Every structure is written in structure tokens, then in C-alpha cells.
């Protein structure tokens, strides 16, 4: 208690010395962390006022009375310093707060702002004090800005119209006067039938993004470790990497499949009740309910559009799904902890004391959830897996009131059956399948390569020695010629040191190569020591003693420098060590293959071939063919469309074991389909198109500079399992094409978020399912699991600038990064 009193006294003395007439202005002079600590200390001192020393009683009474007096005036004033927040409510005219230009917040500042609203184990006044803050809305604006262009407005300086619009929105939110329904745009179906698609305009998108980043600060640390999707650094590749590296010896697994249904009123009420456990802000909860009621935010489980950048998905959907499944994640986590406690893990030294042939496989439960896609893996018996499945289905149906497809939610053997998850195929295989040893053919090829490398090194060494001899003879001839023509050399500079250094370097290199070759040292030693008549005793006795001694000294030097006994022993020891290491690895590999199972992640070959055929890249025989729909585009737009599909395909499947198949598909099918499309457009042959565009599909821009958008063959060969980002699925790129209108339209603003460019071109959206007259819900004709853009956007016209159009075609941005409500009506 004494330490707390001392801390209170230090803080209160600072507060009392800085009082200038208003409590809110006082708090603006301190850092956010100090403000939060001061408010917490005020709550503490108010509860323990009687226990404080008399020296603090006056200061505490003054501050408490001041806070009570100004409580009714700061309902909309954030409790942070003016350099973090831009107050939309001025205080008394006698002591106004000097307004400063608003600026976006970074993550620490945003986190501090949200944590300041945490009181009594709940977050309160989030909508008025955080979401309605102009700085938070400006941060949301910069999050929605798709990319930087050379002509676009700089990110830190939005135009004054946007700043006024942000301040007006902040005022409406703080006063609970923000009209959500007026910001919703219903996109009707082109036909007579079909439901309308409700999309938010840019203003409502900013508010939704502000709510999302606030919820992310509150809930991101509370999500389970196996919850992926909608989180920073927790994408598809991260989930796949976890399955590949940490899941061992799986026995049974199953995926939870939902019947296709939307979250209705009862689900929204349950979601809000879950959020009310941590958020005590009725206004924020009410805004979320109104978003669901207006259908601008809707979540459809069992569908194929979540997490894919489609316009029918809201940016708020991912984090709301994770919040809705918090109870499920806790239930699974408790079940895993109970299983680990009931099945304790043995240490390695304990297993060694039992027997050297004991292999212990602990009972484990692994869970991976990517939004609404759930995979459960067990290393125990099938009865355990069936009990786990029963508990999971009961919790999802009874507690979360979701409709589970019991037929598709079936248990499969991890060893003999594959399971589709996150658009990829999983199967349990021995480690030798993932990291196979070198085959006999590969070993022979490697030995051949090493021999060729040795031959090339020998040829290079001989050529270098030959060049040295030629150069030495030239130098000697030149010196001899100069000596004959004159009485001596007469130079203004001396080159003796340089020449001596060159010859010394050549000699050192020659001796190093000679001593490094074991065979040459052995051959020279054999020629200098074997069969010499001076080694015979009867001859040595007849020769002079000086000659015999000289011969013995010479032989000692020969044995010392040329007899490679130690080198031979070291070489044999190295060969023996390599053989023992190879035998040890072979033994470990054999034991691992018999006792260990890993997860192999593969791209679904049949689905990829079906998607390639459905999109028109190949014919019924599997050979590349042109796509007639794309012939209305410019050459650069055709290449960019193919490049966007290829790059997204490579990024999505780069973590797969059969990535070579995807590389072949991009390198061969997509590349030559693009070449054939360009050839048919210009009524040329394939060879003429290859000569003009080359195999790398080079195209010239308006300035005549060559650009390469399609990944080159060398670049594709270097790609592999080195990406941990959340890749954008390729199906959205396949199922949509943008066709330029051949009409003179008046200038429009670019539909990309906060793009002020007016040099735009109007493009019409053409969807694959509409041109082929196919129903995406029919799995027999459509690719299972491939998402589709909402049919109401078909044939809608959007004006876009060159930079954002290229980014959309290349897959750098999606339809969520543009304002789909700003389409243009074209007859």
C-alpha cells in the first residue's frame, strides 16, 4: 500500500501542477499511457479515499470533483491527446481546444486508444470515442486505398473534400445519426428473376473498416492458435505449413461441412451476445445489427466466396466469423488439453530405459479452422475420432445453431484416403515420399556430372599451364631480343618486382595444384624411389660416402613431400566416415518410414485440369487453345489477364508437393493459350506470334519500352515453397474478364477507392458462368470448390484508370478494392 501511495502522490502532483481550468484539456497534455494510468488511479483513489495520507486528500478531492463536473460534457471527447485525435466537439468558449489536422493512426496508437475504453472488464463507448474519431476513420480510408500510383493523391494528404466528409461522418456517428440504409446500393439482376445484391458505398465501407480494425484490436489476441483467416500473418499458407511441419502420425481425420445457409436473425443475436461479453457498447452492437438487417453484411456458411476477395463478401465478415466460433474454439481447446492430460507424454530418456525398440505414438488431436472450413485430425483410435465428431456436431448444431451436412462430414483414414481442405488434397504418407532418396539413375547422373566437372577442371588447368608457358616464352624472347639490340634495358620505371610477383604467383599455384593432387604425388614418388640402383647394398658400398649421403637426404625429402601416406589415410578415413553416415541415414530413414507418417499437401490434379478446360485454356484433348472472349481486348490487356491467372495460380499452389504440375500448366497451357489468342486476333500463325512477342510475351507500352508481365520460364523454375502470405485464389481471375467499350464516354472518376484520376476507360464485366450458361451450384458441370463472382455484376460497366486496371488484371487488387456501386449505365 505504501508503494501505491507513493506512485499516486507522484502522479497527482503532476496533475495538480498542470490543472488549467478544464479536465479534458488537462488530459490532452499527457501521453496516452499516462492518461490511462491516471484514470485508473482516480478510480483506485475514489474507492480508497479514506486510506490515503492527509497530504493527498486535497489534490484527490479536487480532481474527483473536477471529473464529476465535466463528466456530462465529455461524452464524445476521446481521452487522448490532440495529436492522436481530432476532437469534433469543442468545449467551453472560454477555454477552447486548439484543433490540429487529423492524421491516421499506427497500430500502437490505435491499440492505446481502444484500451483506454476498457473499464470494469468491458470495452465501453467504442463507437463514440473510437470508431467516430476522425483519426480512426482516416486510418480506415488508408487501409481501403488499394495501391499507390504516380498520379494518385499521396496517402498522408487526402483532398480537403474527403477530410470534410470524414469529419461529417465522425459527427454523425458520435451523435448516432449515421444512416446506414441510405449508404446501401442494391444491384439488381440483369434478368427478371434473381435476388438483388446489396453493396455498401465508399462512405459505408470506411465505417465498416473502422469497426473491423477496432474489433481486430480487441479480439485478435483472444482467438485460438488454430484459428486462421481474417488475421494478419494467419492465412492459408500458414495453416498448410502447420499441417506439414507439426502434424505427425495422423490416423483419422474429417472435415466439417455445412449446408449452404446464411446467418439469420437468431445467429446475429447470438453473435451480438458473444460480443457483449467483452463489449459494453449498445450503440456499436446496434450498428452491427443494422448492417446485417440491411444485408450489406451477410455471412453464408458452406459457400465458396469467403476469404476470396469477392464483392458479395464484406470486409467485416472474416472477423465476425472468428468471433462467432470463439466458443467452439474454446471447447476444442479444452478437449485437447483434457486428452493430453489423460495421455501423458513420455520423455526420450524414459523410453530408452524401457527398451531400445520402443516407439511411442502419443494420442493427439489437431485442429485447423480457416473461417468456416474446419479440419480435425486424430492420432488415436477410430472410436475416439467418432466421439470427437459427435461432440463437434452437437456443439455446432445445438450451441451455435448451425446446419451441419452429416453426410459429407465423414471420417476418413488418413493413410488410405485423401481429404480436400483449403482447395488442396491432404494425405498421410511416409517421410520418404516427401523427401525421397536419390534413385540409382540420379546417382549415376550425379557421378557423371562430377566426372565431367573434374574433366573440365583438368582441361582448364592444362590450358592455364599452356598459356603460362607461351607467355613465359614470349617474355624471355622479348628480353633476349632487347639484350641483343642494346647494351641493356633503359626504362624510366622498373618492372622487375611486378614480373617477379607474377612468376611467384604462378609457381605457388602450380605447387598447390601439384600437392593437392594425390595421384600425381604418388606417381612422382614411385618414379623417384622405385628401382634405383643406389638402393642396393653392394652398390652403395662401392660408391663414395658423400654420394650415398646425398642420395639418402634426397630420398628423405622425397618421402617427406611426395609420399602421400597421411593423405591416403585421411582420404580413406573420410570415405569410411561418409559410408557410415550414409548407413546411419539409411537406417533412420527406414525406421521413420516404418514408424512415422507426415502429411503430403498436393494440388488437386483433376480439379485443376477441369478448371483449365472449363475456362477454355485447353480443348477436349488437353491441348492449348485460344479464348475468343479475350480477342476484344488490347494485346497488353490479354497478356496481363493471362499473367494474373498464372501468377495467382503459382502463389496459391506453391506450398504443394506436386507444384511441378502447376508449373507445367502455367508454362505450357496458359502461355501457349495466350500466344494462340494473340495469333488468332491478328490473323497470324503461332510461329509468327512467338517471333513477335517471344515466349516471354513481351509487349511495348505507349513509350515504346518493352514490358514483361507473364512470368518467364526461368522465374517459374525458381518458385517454390517460400511464401507465408495469404494468397488470393485464382478462381476469381478465371471467371471474370473486363472488356473495353468501343464508345466515347464522358470522363468519370476511377472506381478504385480514393482515386482522383479522371483519365479513365469504361470496361464491361463479363462473367464466365453467364457466357457458358452454367450453374455454379451444379458440381457436375462446375468445378467443385471454385467460387464465383455474384451474377448481378455481369455486364456492369466500371470506369478505371490504367494503373488500377492493370493491378486488377494482375491480381494485385480484387473487386473488394473498388467501389462496385459506382458503375456507369451504358446503352
Amino acid at each position: 500500500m505504501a508503494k501505491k501511495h507513493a506512485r499516486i502522490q507522484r502522479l497527482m502532483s503532476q496533475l495538480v501542477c498542470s490543472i488549467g481550468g478544464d479536465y479534458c484539456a488537462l488530459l490532452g497534455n499527457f501521453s496516452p499511457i499516462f492518461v490511462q494510468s491516471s484514470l485508473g488511479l482516480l478510480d483506485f483513489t475514489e474507492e480508497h479515499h479514506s486510506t490515503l495520507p492527509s497530504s493527498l486528500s486535497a489534490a484527490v478531492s479536487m480532481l474527483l470533483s473536477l471529473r464529476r463536473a465535466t463528466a456530462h460534457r465529455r461524452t464524445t471527447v476521446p481521452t487522448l491527446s490532440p495529436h492522436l485525435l481530432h476532437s469534433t466537439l469543442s468545449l467551453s468558449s472560454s477555454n477552447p481546444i486548439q484543433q490540429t489536422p487529423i492524421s491516421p493512426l499506427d497500430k500502437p496508437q490505435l491499440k492505446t486508444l481502444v484500451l483506454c475504453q476498457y473499464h470494469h472488464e468491458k470495452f465501453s463507448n467504442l463507437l463514440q470515442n473510437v470508431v467516430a474519431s476522425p483519426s480512426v476513420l482516416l486510418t480506415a480510408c488508408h487501409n481501403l486505398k488499394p495501391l499507390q500510383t504516380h498520379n494518385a493523391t499521396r496517402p498522408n494528404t487526402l483532398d480537403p473534400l474527403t477530410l470534410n466528409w470524414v469529419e461529417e461522418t465522425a459527427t454523425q456517428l458520435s451523435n448516432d445519426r449515421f444512416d446506414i440504409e441510405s449508404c446501401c446500393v442494391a444491384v439488381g439482376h440483369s434478368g427478371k428473376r434473381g435476388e438483388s445484391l446489396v453493396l455498401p458505398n465508399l462512405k459505408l465501407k470506411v465505417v465498416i473498416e473502422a469497426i473491423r480494425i477496432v474489433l481486430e484490436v480487441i479480439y485478435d489476441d483472444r482467438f485460438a492458435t488454430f484459428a486462421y483467416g481474417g488475421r494478419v500473418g494467419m492465412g492459408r499458407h500458414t495453416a498448410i505449413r502447420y499441417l506439414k511441419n507439426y502434424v505427425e502420425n495422423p490416423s483419422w481425420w474429417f472435415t466439417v461441412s455445412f449446408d449452404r445457409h446464411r446467418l439469420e436473425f437468431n445467429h446475429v443475436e447470438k453473435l451480438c451476445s458473444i460480443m457483449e461479453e467483452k463489449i459494453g457498447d449498445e450503440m456499436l452492437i446496434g450498428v452491427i445489427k443494422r448492417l446485417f438487417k440491411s444485408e450489406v453484411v451477410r455471412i453464408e456458411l458452406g459457400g465458396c466466396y469467403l476469404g476470396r476477395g469477392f464483392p458479395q463478401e464484406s470486409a467485416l465478415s472474416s472477423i465476425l466469423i472468428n468471433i462467432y466460433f470463439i466458443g467452439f474454439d474454446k471447447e476444442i481447446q479444452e478437449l485437447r488439453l483434457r486428452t493430453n492430460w489423460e495421455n501423458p507424454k513420455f520423455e526420450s530418456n524414459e523410453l530408452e530405459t524401457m527398451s531400445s525398440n520402443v516407439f511411442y505414438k502419443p494420442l493427439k488431436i489437431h485442429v485447423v479452422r480457416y473461417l468456416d472450413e474446419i479440419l480435425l485430425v486424430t492420432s488415436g483410435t477410430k472410436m475416439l475420432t467418432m466421439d470427437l465428431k459427435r461432440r463437434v456436431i452437437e456443439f455446432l448444431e445445438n450451441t451455435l445453431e448451425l446446419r451441419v451436412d452429416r453426410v459429407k462430414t465423414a471420417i476418413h483414414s488418413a493413410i488410405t484416403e485423401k481429404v480436400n481442405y483449403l482447395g488442396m488434397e491432404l494425405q498421410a504418407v511416409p517421410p520418404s515420399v516427401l523427401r525421397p532418396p536419390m534413385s540409382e539413375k540420379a546417382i549415376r547422373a550425379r557421378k557423371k556430372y562430377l566426372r565431367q566437372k573434374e574433366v573440365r577442371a583438368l582441361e582448364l588447368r592444362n590450358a592455364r599451364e599452356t598459356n603460362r608457358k607461351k607467355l613465359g616464352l614470349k617474355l624471355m624472347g622479348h628480353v633476349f631480343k632487347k639484350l641483343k639490340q642494346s647494351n641493356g634495358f633503359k626504362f624510366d620505371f622498373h618492372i622487375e618486382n611486378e614480373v617477379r610477383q607474377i612468376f611467384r604467383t604462378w609457381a605457388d599455384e602450380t605447387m598447390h595444384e601439384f600437392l593437392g593432387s594425390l595421384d600425381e604425388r604418388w606417381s612422382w614418388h614411385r618414379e623417384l624411389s622405385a628401382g634405383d640402383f643406389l638402393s642396393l647394398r653392394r652398390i652403395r658400398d662401392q660408391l663414395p660416402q658423400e654420394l650415398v649421403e646425398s642420395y639418402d637426404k634426397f630420398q628423405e625429402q622425397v618421402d617427406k613431400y611426395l609420399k602421400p601416406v597421411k593423405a591416403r589415410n585421411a582420404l580413406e578415413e573420410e570415405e569410411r566416415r561418409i559410408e557410415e553416415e550414409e548407413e546411419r541415414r539409411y537406417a533412420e530413414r527406414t525406421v521413420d518410414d516404418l514408424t512415422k507418417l507426415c502429411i503430403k499437401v498436393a494440388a488437386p490434379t483433376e480439379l485443376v485440369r477441369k478448371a483449365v478446360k472449363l475456362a477454355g485454356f485447353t480443348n477436349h484433348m488437353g491441348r492449348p487453345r485460344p479464348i475468343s472472349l479475350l480477342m476484344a481486348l488490347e494485346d497488353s490487356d490479354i497478356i496481363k489477364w493471362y499473367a494474373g491467372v498464372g501468377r495467382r495460380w503459382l502463389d496459391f499452389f506453391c506450398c504443394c508437393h506436386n507444384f511441378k504440375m502447376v508449373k507445367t500448366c502455367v508454362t505450357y497451357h496458359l502461355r501457349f493459350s495466350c500466344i494462340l489468342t494473340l495469333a488468332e486476333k491478328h490473323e497470324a500463325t503461332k510461329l509468327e506470334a512467338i517471333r513477335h512477342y517471344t515466349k516471354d510475351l513481351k509487349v511495348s507500352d505507349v513509350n515504346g519500352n518493352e514490358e514483361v508481365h507473364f512470368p518467364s520460364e526461368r522465374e517459374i523454375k525458381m518458385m517454390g515453397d517460400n511464401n507465408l502470405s495469404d494468397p488470393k485464389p485464382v478462381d476469381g481471375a478465371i471467371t471474370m474478364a473486363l472488356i473495353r467499350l468501343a464508345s466515347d464516354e464522358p470522363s468519370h472518376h476511377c472506381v478504385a477507392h480514393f482515386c482522383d484520376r479522371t483519365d479513365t476507360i469504361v470496361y464491361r464485366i463479363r462473367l464466365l458462368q453467364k457466357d457458358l450458361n452454367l450453374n455454379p451450384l451444379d458440381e457436375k458441370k462446375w468445378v467443385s470448390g471454385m467460387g464465383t463472382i455474384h451474377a448481378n455484376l455481369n455486364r456492369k460497366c466500371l470506369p478505371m484508370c490504367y494503373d488500377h486496371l492493370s493491378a486488377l488484371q494482375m491480381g494485385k487488387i480484387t473487386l473488394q478494392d473498388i467501389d462496385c456501386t459506382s458503375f456507369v449505365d451504358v446503352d
Side-chain angles (χ1 to χ4, degrees):
M1 185 64 69
K3 294 183 178 179
K4 290 184 178 180
H5 289 169
R7 185 183 177 192
I8 292 171
Q9 186 173 5
R10 289 196 302 269
L11 292 174
M12 293 303 172
S13 59
Q14 298 179 24
L15 287 171
V16 171
C17 293
S18 303
I19 291 176
D22 197 297
Y23 180 72
C24 298
L26 166 66
L27 294 182
N29 296 327
F30 295 93
S31 64
I33 299 176
F34 178 73
V35 171
Q36 184 180 3
S37 303
S38 303
L39 295 177
L41 287 173
L42 282 177
D43 294 334
F44 172 79
T45 53
E46 189 173 4
E47 296 176 1
H48 303 83
H49 186 274
S50 59
T51 61
L52 294 176
S54 58
S55 58
L56 296 178
S57 299
V60 170
S61 301
M62 182 187 302
L63 290 174
L64 290 176
S65 60
L66 183 58
R67 187 176 69 168
R68 297 189 191 100
T70 56
H72 68 280
R73 291 191 300 165
R74 57 184 184 91
T75 55
T76 59
V77 179
T79 57
L80 279 180
S81 55
H83 75 279
L84 292 179
L85 296 177
H86 179 74
S87 177
T88 58
L89 178 65
S90 61
L91 298 178
S92 60
S93 58
S94 59
N95 189 18
I97 298 178
Q98 184 179 1
Q99 296 184 354
T100 58
I102 59 176
S103 60
L105 306 178
D106 54 15
K107 288 186 178 180
Q109 291 174 339
L110 180 63
K111 189 173 183 179
T112 303
L113 177 60
V114 175
L115 292 179
C116 284
Q117 310 303 320
Y118 187 74
H119 303 289
H120 305 292
E121 299 183 355
K122 280 191 177 183
F123 292 90
S124 58
N125 298 327
L126 288 175
L127 184 65
Q128 291 182 325
N129 294 351
V130 182
V131 178
S133 170
S135 297
V136 176
L137 293 175
L138 189 61
T139 305
C141 292
H142 291 298
N143 289 349
L144 293 176
K145 198 163 186 176
L147 80 162
Q148 303 299 320
T149 58
H150 61 281
N151 290 329
T153 308
R154 305 184 71 177
N156 293 329
T157 57
L158 293 177
D159 55 280
L161 183 62
T162 303
L163 295 177
N164 294 334
W165 166 78
V166 167
E167 294 180 353
E168 180 183 357
T169 305
T171 305
Q172 294 175 357
L173 286 172
S174 61
N175 297 330
D176 197 15
R177 294 187 292 103
F178 184 74
D179 189 4
I180 295 179
E181 288 72 16
S182 63
C183 299
C184 300
V185 178
V187 182
H189 197 270
S190 57
K192 295 182 179 179
R193 297 182 179 180
E195 61 178 3
S196 61
L197 174 64
V198 181
L199 297 177
N201 62 5
L202 185 56
K203 184 177 181 180
L204 185 55
K205 272 189 176 182
V206 172
V207 176
I208 292 175
E209 177 64 17
I211 297 174
R212 188 199 66 81
I213 60 179
V214 171
L215 294 180
E216 183 181 14
V217 172
I218 297 174
Y219 283 101
D220 192 64
D221 295 336
R222 292 175 171 84
F223 292 142
T225 56
F226 54 82
Y228 298 88
R231 304 174 62 187
V232 179
M234 300 285 283
R236 293 176 183 266
H237 282 172
T238 315
I240 295 298
R241 186 68 61 89
Y242 168 76
L243 292 172
K244 291 168 60 176
N245 296 341
Y246 296 100
V247 179
E248 294 182 357
N249 301 319
S251 302
W252 307 93
W253 52 25
F254 65 92
T255 58
V256 179
S257 300
F258 295 98
D259 290 331
R260 194 159 186 165
H261 66 286
R262 271 203 257 168
L263 294 187
E264 302 296 340
F265 176 76
N266 57 330
H267 301 104
V268 176
E269 291 294 329
K270 186 174 290 295
L271 172 64
C272 293
S273 64
I274 295 173
M275 296 176 62
E276 287 174 354
E277 296 178 1
K278 281 294 177 185
I279 299 176
D281 189 353
E282 296 181 358
M283 295 179 61
L284 179 60
I285 301 297
V287 169
I288 294 176
K289 289 182 179 180
R290 289 162 57 191
L291 291 175
F292 275 99
K293 184 178 179 180
S294 61
E295 295 187 355
V296 73
V297 174
R298 59 180 183 176
I299 299 174
E300 181 179 335
L301 300 182
C304 298
Y305 71 87
L306 290 177
R308 307 200 181 196
F310 292 160
Q312 59 263 35
E313 178 192 6
S314 173
L316 196 59
S317 300
S318 299
I319 192 168
L320 291 181
I321 290 175
N322 289 331
I323 295 174
Y324 193 79
F325 279 92
I326 278 183
F328 172 79
D329 297 341
K330 289 182 179 179
E331 184 72 16
I332 294 296
Q333 188 68 18
E334 292 176 0
L335 184 60
R336 293 175 62 186
L337 294 175
R338 191 183 310 116
T339 304
N340 294 336
W341 180 76
E342 294 175 355
N343 301 272
K345 183 180 179 180
F346 290 96
E347 299 294 337
S348 58
N349 54 1
E350 295 178 357
L351 295 176
E352 292 178 358
T353 56
M354 295 179 184
S355 175
S356 59
N357 298 325
V358 173
F359 300 98
Y360 174 66
K361 296 181 180 180
L363 183 61
K364 287 188 176 182
I365 298 175
H366 299 276
V367 185
V368 175
R369 183 181 63 80
Y370 184 86
L371 298 180
D372 63 333
E373 301 182 58
I374 306 172
L375 172 67
L376 293 100
V377 185
T378 64
S379 60
T381 61
K382 190 173 183 180
M383 296 299 296
L384 170 69
T385 310
M386 293 175 63
D387 183 65
L388 175 63
K389 174 189 170 183
R390 178 184 58 80
R391 293 186 181 184
V392 168
I393 294 178
E394 288 180 356
F395 188 89
L396 292 175
E397 290 182 342
N398 300 333
T399 305
L400 298 184
E401 301 178 4
L402 302 176
R403 297 197 294 269
V404 180
D405 189 348
R406 292 177 175 264
V407 177
K408 294 183 179 180
T409 307
I411 299 175
H412 300 278
S413 172
I415 302 173
T416 59
E417 297 179 89
K418 298 179 182 179
V419 64
N420 292 324
Y421 185 67
L422 296 182
M424 304 172 194
E425 292 181 351
L426 308 181
Q427 186 179 8
V429 295
S432 59
V433 177
L434 299 178
R435 296 172 291 274
M438 295 181 65
S439 61
E440 294 294 334
K441 183 178 180 181
I443 293 174
R444 291 195 300 270
R446 182 171 179 80
K447 289 182 178 179
K448 181 180 178 181
Y449 168 75
L450 293 177
R451 287 195 300 269
Q452 292 176 352
K453 188 176 179 180
E454 292 177 358
V455 170
R456 286 195 297 268
L458 181 60
E459 292 176 353
L460 182 62
R461 185 178 61 187
N462 293 337
R464 187 164 57 248
E465 291 178 356
T466 302
N467 292 334
R468 287 173 179 175
K469 290 179 182 179
K470 291 181 180 180
L471 183 58
L473 292 176
K474 286 183 179 180
L475 289 174
M476 296 301 296
H478 180 72
V479 171
F480 182 71
K481 181 179 179 180
K482 288 295 183 180
L483 287 173
K484 288 177 62 178
Q485 292 178 356
S486 62
N487 295 328
F489 292 104
K490 295 180 180 179
F491 294 111
D492 296 335
F493 57 92
H494 301 281
I495 62 171
E496 293 87 352
N497 296 330
E498 287 78 1
V499 174
R500 188 177 294 108
Q501 182 64 29
I502 291 174
F503 279 99
R504 184 182 297 109
T505 303
W506 288 351
D508 293 341
E509 292 179 359
T510 303
M511 290 303 301
H512 180 72
E513 292 177 358
F514 173 75
L515 295 177
S517 176
L518 200 61
D519 295 333
E520 289 191 5
R521 290 166 61 184
W522 187 265
S523 61
W524 276 94
H525 181 271
R526 185 174 59 252
E527 291 179 1
L528 293 175
S529 60
D532 200 298
F533 69 96
L534 289 177
S535 61
L536 300 177
R537 175 61 60 184
R538 61 179 179 273
I539 296 178
R540 292 169 62 90
D541 295 340
Q542 299 178 10
L543 294 176
Q545 188 67 25
E546 292 82 1
L547 179 60
V548 173
E549 291 179 357
S550 299
Y551 171 75
D552 292 339
K553 291 180 180 179
F554 176 73
Q555 285 299 121
E556 289 178 2
Q557 297 298 322
V558 169
D559 293 340
K560 179 179 179 181
Y561 293 102
L562 298 181
K563 189 174 183 180
V565 178
K566 294 183 179 180
R568 177 70 67 180
N569 294 336
L571 182 61
E572 293 177 354
E573 184 66 25
E574 182 67 19
E575 292 178 354
R576 191 182 306 109
R577 189 189 63 81
I578 293 175
E579 292 179 358
E580 292 177 355
E581 183 69 19
E582 185 64 27
E583 291 178 358
R584 185 185 64 81
R585 291 179 181 176
Y586 176 77
E588 291 181 355
R589 188 165 56 244
T590 304
V591 173
D592 288 343
D593 287 344
L594 296 175
T595 60
K596 186 178 179 181
L597 290 175
C598 300
I599 291 183
K600 183 183 76 171
V601 180
T605 307
E606 296 299 329
L607 295 183
V608 170
R609 291 175 180 173
K610 187 176 180 180
V612 168
K613 183 179 178 181
L614 181 66
F617 295 113
T618 59
N619 54 19
H620 66 281
M621 298 181 63
R623 295 179 180 176
R625 61 176 295 275
I627 300 179
S628 58
L629 176 64
L630 303 176
M631 294 180 187
L633 298 176
E634 299 289 338
D635 293 352
S636 59
D637 292 339
I638 294 175
I639 296 175
K640 288 177 183 178
W641 187 84
Y642 278 96
V645 176
R647 290 187 182 276
R648 271 183 273 188
W649 220 325
L650 294 171
D651 291 339
F652 188 80
F653 291 112
C654 70
C655 58
C656 295
H657 182 70
N658 59 344
F659 185 50
K660 186 177 180 181
M661 182 270 296
V662 183
K663 290 181 179 180
T664 304
C665 180
V666 175
T667 304
Y668 177 65
H669 294 93
L670 269 68
R671 188 187 305 274
F672 282 93
S673 177
C674 182
I675 292 173
L676 292 174
T677 302
L678 293 170
E680 187 169 336
K681 175 187 175 182
H682 296 286
E683 298 180 355
T685 63
K686 181 178 71 174
L687 295 179
E688 291 176 349
I690 292 176
R691 282 196 296 267
H692 184 269
Y693 297 100
T694 70
K695 282 190 176 181
D696 291 334
L697 296 173
K698 297 181 180 179
V699 64
S700 300
D701 58 3
V702 293
N703 298 324
N705 301 322
E706 287 188 346
E707 296 179 346
V708 179
H709 304 287
F710 199 90
S712 62
E713 295 182 357
R714 182 179 181 84
E715 184 180 356
I716 293 175
K717 288 180 180 179
M718 299 300 293
M719 291 183 178
D721 188 4
N722 55 0
N723 195 354
L724 267 180
S725 62
D726 192 2
K728 297 180 177 64
V730 74
D731 47 20
I734 289 180
T735 57
M736 182 191 71
L738 297 176
I739 307 300
R740 180 175 179 177
L741 297 185
S743 60
D744 295 332
E745 294 293 330
S747 60
H748 301 277
H749 279 281
C750 179
V751 294
H753 295 159
F754 303 104
C755 181
D756 55 355
R757 295 179 59 174
T758 56
D759 53 338
T760 58
I761 303 174
V762 180
Y763 287 83
R764 189 187 298 276
I765 298 177
R766 298 286 295 273
L767 299 182
L768 175 64
Q769 67 267 25
K770 288 296 182 179
D771 290 338
L772 300 178
N773 196 17
L774 295 176
N775 184 12
L777 300 179
D778 188 1
E779 295 184 357
K780 294 182 179 179
K781 296 183 179 180
W782 196 257
V783 180
S784 177
M786 187 169 77
T788 54
I789 301 172
H790 202 279
N792 290 9
L793 293 179
N794 187 43
R795 306 189 68 83
K796 299 298 181 183
C797 297
L798 299 174
M800 299 191 70
C801 64
Y802 176 78
D803 293 332
H804 288 113
L805 174 67
S806 300
L808 182 62
Q809 291 175 333
M810 292 290 292
K812 297 178 181 178
I813 64 175
T814 63
L815 289 178
Q816 282 188 345
D817 298 317
I818 66 176
D819 186 8
C820 294
T821 62
S822 301
F823 53 83
V824 179
D825 294 330
V826 179
D827 296 333

